[in-house]
């Protein structure tokens, strides 16, 4: 019999990765409020300086997760920094037509 993993109840993740192309905010799976809270406890509430956001593996996104992505995009825009965004179809629909004025 196999042992359940310690992360068996984790359905979505939010992480910061250092890559050759710079820092990337990565969201994957069913990103709920608990995944966002875990990220905020680790990295703080200030948006990180990122060169990319990868949401290509997101299957479900809570309002706090969407706010986290938008906060990072807004911070980059205010600083005049381009950010590459890889979007899942779900995230594409959620971000379509949204601007910082919508928030």
């Amino acid at each position: 019999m196999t042992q359940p993993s310690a992360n068996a109840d984790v359905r979505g993740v939010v992480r910061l990765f250092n890559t050759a192309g710079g820092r990337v905010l990565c969201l994957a799976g069913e990103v709920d409020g608990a995944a966002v809270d875990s990220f905020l406890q680790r990295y703080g509430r200030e948006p990180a300086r990122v060169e990319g956001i990868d949401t290509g593996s997101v299957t479900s996104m809570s309002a706090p997760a969407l706010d986290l992505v938008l906060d990072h995009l807004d911070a980059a825009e205010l600083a005049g920094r381009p950010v590459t965004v890889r979007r899942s179809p779900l995230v594409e629909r959620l971000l379509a037509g949204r601007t910082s004025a919508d928030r």
Side-chain angles (χ1 to χ4, degrees):
M1 178 169 19
T2 61
Q3 294 285 333
S5 84
N7 293 328
D9 59 341
V10 175
R11 297 175 6 193
V13 296
V14 182
R15 298 282 188 272
L16 270 179
F17 292 108
N18 291 317
T19 71
R23 291 181 96 186
V24 176
L25 176 66
C26 182
L27 293 83
E30 298 176 23
V31 186
D32 59 9
V36 174
D37 287 344
S38 176
F39 174 83
L40 294 176
Q41 287 175 1
R42 183 175 198 161
Y43 295 102
R45 295 206 172 272
E46 261 324 288
R49 180 184 175 117
V50 296
E51 285 67 44
I53 299 175
D54 185 346
T55 63
S57 298
V58 169
T59 57
S60 165
M61 183 176 256
S62 66
L66 180 59
D67 286 343
L68 181 72
V69 169
L70 292 173
D71 287 347
H72 280 76
L73 289 172
D74 289 347
E77 183 180 356
L78 286 171
R81 289 183 284 107
V83 173
T84 302
V85 182
R86 179 173 172 253
R87 303 171 181 178
S88 69
L90 169 75
V91 175
E92 182 67 41
R93 286 191 304 274
L94 291 173
L95 293 178
R98 291 195 63 125
T99 66
S100 54
D102 294 333
R103 300 186 61 209

